[in-house]
Amino acid sequence: MKKLLVTGGAGFIGGNFVYYMLENYPDIQLVCLDALTYAGNLETLKGAFKNPNFKFVKGDITDRKLVFELFEEEDFDCIVNFAAESHVDRSIEAPEVFLKTNILGTQVLLDACNKFGTERFHQVSTDEVYGDLPLDRPDLMFTEETPIHTSSPYSASKASADLLALAYNRTFGTPVTISRCSNNYGPYQFPEKLIPLMIANATHGKPLPVYGEGLNVRDWLYVEDHCRAIALIIEKGKIGEVYNIGGHNEKANIEVVKTIISVLGKDESLITYVKDRPGHDRRYAIDPAKIHAELGWLPQTKFDDGIERTIKWYMDNTSWWENIFNGKYKSYTAEMFE
Ligand code: NAD
Ligand code: TYD
């Protein structure tokens, strides 16, 4: 693998993956294609721009002409597709762009792989394609065989993209792999998601909005563990296979919020129970036995360490997220492209 296209690299996981690859694969040439939607932030990639092996292209994965020209120019060995609309609450408010980017954008990339004979297309997917699990059955976990059963327009669009990728593999022989990961946390996560939003609000003494009773359970994985799993899959994973990635780190939302309050030395009176999300998935839990057995992957970061590191990162980098709240991160993008 010499030349890699990372789509959505100005976002949370894609940005962390860019740094992971540049650090661990010093010979790799890495091109990031990102449309810089509200979730894309060039400040995230500041450090990567200094690396001669890194190149950034602003563009939309649904733009077939742009994507095909880029493939022709760069002759990629491998594509890792992170580009997506990723926030469930936004998908409930306005589903259309989720279908466009997450499904049609994936199709454009798959078509480009077919046309240019790319050796690997890796689709970054989510455990949300499996729907949810009951709270009173801790014995149940998602395996790769669990039926697709989606709850939100976001998860339905991600499941559609997965099915399309598998269909391209079967019909056209497109060399596809898919990973389905549980909730990630770590540096550079956009502060609309639970953990960074709670850190930001708690820092400013603002209310911490907990949906419903805060009893929904997520299986948290430190983002670097996810990046390492994807690197392993593109190196050693079997074409046509799906790999679940998860950390055996199940926590109720209220527990996560209370941990953040405690690490920051704030008061639990900040917790404000608000109206629940419609269709709110109760519990996600990944069984990562396959990726462990086949590729030797195991999570390395325990939640207690990962959450402390994450909170420290947000405290050390307040301007990164303050610039999102005050809108300045968009003027940084504008300066780069004027
Ligand atoms: P994010 O919202 O932080 O970043 C998405 C990035 O994609 C942004 O930089 C955005 O500008 C870019 N983008 C959006 N539409 C685009 C388009 N049409 N063309 C090009 N670029 C576009 O998302 P994230 O949390 O980093 O998630 C990355 C991927 O991982 C997504 O596919 C998501 O479904 C998946 N995933 C996320 C999690 C999680 O916990 N965050 C868990 C499992 C899987
Ligand atoms: P989120 O970070 O949006 O990820 P996802 O919906 O993909 O799991 O939310 C994580 C959990 O936290 C989810 O159960 C919804 C809940 N949540 C809140 O209680 N309050 C909030 O303000 C947000 C953003 C999420």
Side-chain angles (χ1 to χ4, degrees):
M1 188 184 23
K2 292 178 218 79
K3 199 178 249 193
L4 186 65
L5 174 66
V6 175
T7 68
F12 163 46
I13 310 175
N16 278 280
F17 184 74
V18 165
Y19 287 117
Y20 182 86
M21 294 307 283
L22 291 175
E23 198 175 315
N24 291 285
Y25 298 80
D27 296 330
I28 213 164
Q29 297 288 316
L30 203 150
V31 178
C32 170
L33 173 66
D34 197 296
L36 299 176
T37 67
Y38 81 92
N41 188 348
L42 281 184
E43 291 196 40
T44 296
L45 292 173
K46 244 181 187 167
F49 278 102
K50 298 183 193 130
N51 189 316
N53 292 346
F54 177 77
K55 181 171 159 184
F56 182 84
V57 177
K58 181 174 184 293
D60 195 311
I61 59 166
T62 65
D63 184 341
R64 187 170 284 268
K65 185 167 173 289
L66 178 142
V67 168
F68 275 51
E69 280 170 8
L70 185 65
F71 271 65
E72 180 150 41
E73 216 168 279
E74 299 284 356
D75 193 19
F76 299 113
D77 301 302
C78 176
I79 319 302
V80 183
N81 183 28
F82 291 95
E85 289 292 334
S86 69
H87 193 40
V88 172
D89 293 327
R90 286 180 189 255
S91 84
I92 296 168
E93 293 298 319
E96 196 168 327
V97 67
F98 284 73
L99 274 56
K100 186 169 182 241
T101 289
N102 300 2
I103 308 173
L104 298 178
T106 302
Q107 187 214 356
V108 168
L109 294 170
L110 286 163
D111 284 341
C113 286
N114 283 355
K115 175 154 187 199
F116 295 96
T118 313
E119 283 165 37
R120 178 66 68 87
F121 175 86
H122 182 74
Q123 175 69 0
V124 180
S125 187
T126 163
D127 61 355
E128 300 193 27
V129 301
Y130 299 122
D132 66 351
L133 296 164
L135 291 174
D136 59 356
R137 287 291 308 273
D139 54 312
L140 295 181
M141 285 188 286
F142 298 135
T143 74
E144 290 80 0
E145 308 307 320
T146 302
I148 300 285
H149 189 86
T150 58
S151 311
S152 70
Y154 163 68
S155 55
S157 69
K158 292 297 289 184
S160 305
D162 285 13
L163 295 178
L164 199 60
L166 292 171
Y168 267 56
N169 171 250
R170 165 107 184 214
T171 302
F172 306 114
T174 317
V176 162
T177 43
I178 295 175
S179 52
R180 294 181 179 148
C181 191
S182 55
N183 287 61
N184 283 214
Y185 67 104
Y188 301 115
Q189 187 167 30
F190 198 85
E192 65 183 350
K193 303 278 168 63
L194 179 73
I195 288 180
L197 180 70
M198 296 300 150
I199 298 172
N201 281 12
T203 305
H204 288 306
K206 285 190 188 162
L208 308 180
V210 171
Y211 298 165
E213 294 174 80
L215 298 179
N216 303 62
V217 169
R218 297 295 183 261
D219 183 0
W220 294 97
L221 185 72
Y222 193 64
V223 64
E224 197 177 76
D225 280 324
H226 186 187
C227 295
R228 192 164 38 80
I230 294 172
L232 265 178
I233 295 169
I234 58 180
E235 240 183 326
K236 299 187 187 146
K238 260 175 50 196
I239 304 282
E241 293 290 318
V242 174
Y243 294 92
N244 282 356
I245 309 172
H248 285 308
N249 246 323
E250 288 179 56
K251 307 264 173 221
N253 293 337
I254 191 67
E255 199 184 336
V256 173
V257 173
K258 285 185 177 173
T259 302
I260 293 169
I261 290 172
S262 150
V263 174
L264 287 172
K266 301 288 176 179
D267 199 278
E268 288 189 8
S269 60
L270 289 176
I271 294 172
T272 311
Y273 293 94
V274 299
K275 193 168 164 282
D276 208 354
R277 172 189 282 172
H280 197 171
D281 281 336
R282 291 161 297 174
R283 170 177 166 249
Y284 303 140
I286 281 269
D287 177 0
K290 177 174 171 179
I291 189 167
H292 176 51
E294 290 188 17
L295 307 181
W297 179 89
L298 276 177
Q300 289 178 354
T301 308
K302 291 201 173 67
F303 186 76
D304 288 350
D305 299 335
I307 195 72
E308 289 224 10
R309 269 158 78 181
T310 303
I311 292 170
K312 183 173 184 323
W313 186 87
Y314 279 86
M315 291 303 97
D316 291 346
N317 294 276
T318 45
S319 66
W320 181 88
W321 52 270
E322 296 281 15
N323 282 349
I324 291 175
F325 286 114
N326 65 29
K328 278 195 191 147
Y329 78 120
K330 281 295 162 201
S331 38
Y332 181 70
T333 299
E335 274 166 35
M336 297 283 283
F337 289 97
E338 262 163 18

